Amino acid sequence: AQKITQTQPGMFVQEKEAVTLDCTYDTSDQSYGLFWYKQPSSGEMIFLIYQGSYDEQNATEGRYSLNFQKARKSANLVISASQLGDSAMYFCAMREGQLWTGNQFYFGTGTSLTVIP
Amino acid sequence: KAGVTQTPRYLIKTRGQQVTLSCSPISGHRSVSWYQQTPGQGLQFLFEYFSETQRNKGNFPGRFSGRQFSNSRSEMNVSTLELGDSALYLCASSYLDRQDYGYTFGSGTRLTVV
C-alpha cells in the first residue's frame, strides 16, 4: 500500500482564492511527522509546513495551513489568498518514527497547482 | 547561511559508465539523504547517512552506493549506468534534534544517460 496518497494530479485556482490540496497517509506508527514541500519549475524542493502526530492543533505558516484529521489519516494543505508564484508542484511527505531511528521520508506523487490571473 | 550544494548541476553519461555526485550539506546538519526523482516513479529514497554511517537504504540495486565524510559532505555513486537511471538526484540535509525541521534540499543533479 502507498504510504502517501495525493489524488489530485492537477489543480487550478483563481488568484486570491483559497485552495486545498489533498493528502492521505498510511502508517501503523504512533509517532510520525507530516510535511508539505513545494517544487517550482526550477527543481528545488522548498519546505512549507510540518505537523507532528501528537500535535493537537493544526499547523499554520503564513498563508499555509494544514488541516490534520488524524482519525481519517489525512493532512490536507490549505493555501489562502493564492498568488501567481504559488504555481508549482506540491508534495506531501511523511517520516515515520523518531529522528534517531532514521530520517527517511515517503513522498506522494504530487499535485501540480496552477494559479490563474 | 549557505544552502545545500550539489555538484554538478547537469551531467550526461553513456550507458555502462559510472558517475559520482557530490553534496555539501548546510553547516551543522549531520544527516544527509539522497532521493531519486523521475516522472514515472516520483521521489524515491536512496539512502541516509549520519556520522559517516549509512542508517537507512531504499530499494535500489547495489549499483547505487554512497558515503559520507567526516565533514558531513556526501557522495553518491552509480556504477554501470542504465538508461533508466536518468533522473533528478536530490540531496537533502537535516538536523537530528528537531522533529519539525524536515529536510533542506539542494537544487539537484540532473543526470541523463544516453
Side-chain angles (χ1 to χ4, degrees), chain B residues 30-45:
Chain B
R30 296 170 62 196
S31 167
V32 176
S33 298
W34 290 87
Y35 286 82
Q36 180 196 66
Q37 186 176 23
T38 60
Q41 299 296 319
L43 280 145
Q44 293 188 287
F45 174 76

Side-chain angles (χ1 to χ4, degrees), chain B residues 92-114:
Chain B
S93 71
S94 181
Y95 296 110
L96 284 186
D97 57 355
R98 284 186 55 184
Q99 299 282 355
D100 64 337
Y101 186 82
Y103 288 128
T104 298
F105 282 86
S107 298
T109 294
R110 187 163 295 280
L111 171 65
T112 302
V113 182
V114 297

Side-chain angles (χ1 to χ4, degrees), chain A residues 41-112:
Chain A
S41 54
S42 59
E44 188 169 351
M45 298 280 282
I46 301 166
F47 166 71
L48 295 177
I49 197 166
Y50 162 83
Q51 180 84 41
S53 58
Y54 296 116
D55 295 339
E56 293 187 354
Q57 294 205 332
N58 288 340
T60 58
E61 289 286 349
R63 294 187 299 110
Y64 304 108
S65 61
L66 201 152
N67 184 359
F68 181 46
Q69 296 186 47
K70 195 170 181 176
R72 297 180 60 185
K73 292 190 174 179
S74 76
N76 299 338
L77 177 70
V78 180
I79 305 174
S80 63
S82 297
Q83 302 172 355
L84 296 178
D86 294 335
S87 294
M89 281 291 288
Y90 288 80
F91 292 95
C92 179
M94 176 176 65
R95 180 187 59 224
E96 294 178 310
Q98 297 293 321
L99 272 173
W100 52 82
T101 61
N103 199 19
Q104 174 180 350
F105 278 37
Y106 298 94
F107 284 88
T109 51
T111 295
S112 176

